[in-house]
Amino acid sequence: MRPLRDPAKLAAAASSQRHLREIHAHLLVSGRIASPPHLAAFLVSLASSSSESDDGDLSYARLLLPRRPATLLAHNSLLRALARGRRPHLAFGAFRDLPLAPDNYSFTFLVRAATALAAAAASALDAALIAGSVHASALRHGHAADPHVQSGAVSMYAAAGDVGAARAAFAEIASPDVVCVTAMVGALATGGEADAARELFDGMPQRDHVAWNAMIAGYVRTGRSREALRLFDEMRHAGAAVGEVTLVSALTACAQLGALERGKWVHSYAHSRGMRLSVTLGTALIDMYSKCGAVATAMEVFDSMGERNVYTWTSAVSGLAMNGMGRDCLELFKRMESTGVEPNGVTFVAVLRGCSMAGLVDEGRACFDSMKSNHGIDPWLEHYGCMVDLYGRAGRLDDAVNFINGMPLEPHEGVWGALLNASRIHKNVELGQYAMDKLIAIESKNDAAHVLLSNIYADSQNWKGVSNVRNMMKAKGVKKMPGCSAIEVGGKVHEFFVGGKTHPRYKEIEMMLAEMSQRLRLQGYIANTKEVLFDIEEEDKEDAISLHSEKLALAFGLVALPEDMEIRIVKNLRVCEDCHDYTKMISKVFNREIVMRDRNRFHHFKDGACSCRDYW
DNA sequence: GTAGGGTTAG
């Protein structure tokens, strides 16, 4: 082998990772490992991103660190790689063992590692401790005024869940540049203060595309998707550089809203711009299509992707689950296992929910057991909740109770809530009361639970029980969250609330409601009033029910959408039994496909039947 | 010849 003397050529050769060890050996033999220093640093960072340094401890990269002379450049490169790696805490050890005093670069990497750790910390206290000590250390070494450290500190505190500390760190910056302000915008939004974030954003002297992205993502994170999409439009009109990150946030917003038309538009926008279907973009698309009920399209995207990670697979598994395709969900999960992408806790939540939706009790149980035995994951409370739901929905109430009794963790409200819901489905008043007692002991103000219990009583004609629940809610100040249904027409999302009459086209809606009632009556439809929470006069009940938000949205859909178009409705709560029956009938009488997303899942209505087979 | 802010699953 001819000796390589030119550093550039060496670097080019080494950039083929496979040859890294050969180059290393060559350097050792030729005695050139120590110089020039930037080359050593380059090799360290190269080795750091190599898949050969499997465990994330970068043992091979460490071998490349020149001992004499030790350079901060090379050590910083290692810090950088550790901070970005899967085990960021290792950056702390490397930082402690630095042979030279850390500089401002070292601190930016340490801050980055701390940010990752704080975000994953078991408790808020742990997170605050990590963030605080790193910041203090930067201060001691005189690097706290470096803009790179400052912006990092703001995000670090936000990741630690301490917006107050982020604010304080930001306040100390004499003249914050665009990056620092953007970090603060993100920090405020992370802390749920989207309005404060927006104020800061609006006051920015200049904003680049990252600032726009931060604000849009901030709205999405705080559940304000409509504002996110509005800002996305503004961003395009302002001529800022819309990139993949922007589109991913926009897609997440569409997913939250169930806004399929807008979601498709974003998809074709990405396509027309020649954007590659990256893992992140593809995953966001799968999520969006799934949450808009277009699960077939979601799977097309999934199939077309070249690279898929655990998020991608989980999105797809979850999409099938929420659309009630339990068999396909389980099949895809098995495919995932055989592909070698390791599922995590979130994946199991998805597949267990899929089994539960489809009544696949034994299969679900097998998945649950395999979590620990095949994947080394200790089940979370959510997983126990899924199992109670799985047994409970299937009518195996004894198994559900026994399962709870055998839990190694203290059951949380989700577990009792699942039992309560199962009691409702299978009309077991006693068990429902028991679950409710347990639930109230943990979380006394759960509005959904009160409504469920009321429904259980109503179902057994126990009006005294219904009114007791109502009084209990009044006494405790528990308010039923108002039902809201949304429907997208012409790219605009219209929202309806119970009994709402404020829509500009309400006259037409009212006429359509009358037509719907009439045509249903002819088909022998009888209103089901038993799930009405409030004890109003019987004749009013039918009116109250007929104005449930999903019915208003449905009527509007019939009025405003072309006849050959399916009607898609997104509801914030669980759909009530009457509305479910009603929608089934409408799908038959009006010969329309109707897709309804409720709090938990999708209902695909067609020809008088629902994809959930009334099992929800 | 290493740095900072924005993105995906429950």
Side-chain angles (χ1 to χ4, degrees), chain A residues 186-224:
Chain A
L188 288 168
T190 303
E193 300 183 43
D195 290 322
R198 181 59 191 264
E199 203 177 314
L200 190 60
F201 175 80
D202 284 340
M204 289 176 81
Q206 89 263 27
R207 21 183 124 101
D208 58 13
H209 69 282
V210 183
W212 284 95
N213 289 343
M215 193 59 234
I216 292 171
Y219 276 134
V220 173
R221 264 205 303 277
T222 44
R224 291 165 60 168

Side-chain angles (χ1 to χ4, degrees), chain A residues 11 35 39 132 156 159 209 221 229 231 240 311 316-317 346 434 486 499 543:
Chain A
S35 84
L39 183 60
M156 175 175 68
H209 69 282
R221 264 205 303 277
L229 289 181
L231 200 62
Y311 284 78
V317 169
V346 181
Y434 170 74
D543 273 356

Side-chain angles (χ1 to χ4, degrees), chain A residues 38-95:
Chain A
H38 66 266
L39 183 60
F42 178 78
L43 287 175
V44 169
S45 62
L46 202 64
S48 303
S49 56
S50 163
S51 54
E52 290 173 67
S53 51
D54 43 314
D55 248 0
D57 65 351
L58 308 179
S59 49
Y60 186 65
R62 286 169 201 262
L63 282 178
L64 289 166
L65 275 179
R67 296 278 178 272
R68 278 180 304 273
T71 66
L72 207 44
L73 183 63
H75 280 272
N76 281 345
S77 294
L78 181 70
L79 274 182
R80 167 180 176 267
L82 289 169
R84 290 179 178 182
R86 274 169 299 166
R87 299 165 69 189
H89 68 277
L90 293 172
F92 283 78
F95 183 83

Side-chain angles (χ1 to χ4, degrees), chain A residues 429 433 436 440 449-474 530 532-535:
Chain A
V429 180
Q433 284 168 332
M436 186 67 176
I440 283 177
H450 285 83
V451 173
L452 276 180
L453 184 63
S454 169
N455 289 344
I456 291 175
Y457 285 133
D459 199 57
S460 64
Q461 315 275 309
N462 180 349
W463 306 117
K464 181 96 179 89
V466 171
S467 97
N468 280 347
V469 175
R470 196 191 165 192
N471 291 334
M472 201 155 75
M473 289 175 77
K474 223 184 239 170
K530 64 177 186 263
V532 177
L533 176 61
F534 304 104
D535 56 347

Side-chain angles (χ1 to χ4, degrees), chain A residues 418-454:
Chain A
L419 190 65
L420 182 63
N421 190 40
S423 309
R424 174 192 64 85
I425 294 172
H426 298 289
K427 308 188 194 308
N428 188 324
V429 180
E430 206 181 321
L431 191 63
Q433 284 168 332
Y434 170 74
M436 186 67 176
D437 287 343
K438 293 289 195 180
L439 205 153
I440 283 177
I442 304 169
E443 189 193 18
S444 66
K445 288 195 174 187
N446 185 320
D447 65 324
H450 285 83
V451 173
L452 276 180
L453 184 63
S454 169

Side-chain angles (χ1 to χ4, degrees), chain A residues 508-520 582:
Chain A
E508 293 166 76
I509 294 171
E510 199 171 31
M511 281 165 64
M512 179 52 79
L513 282 167
E515 185 186 337
M516 288 155 78
S517 294
Q518 199 186 356
R519 284 173 69 175
L520 288 198
Y582 184 91

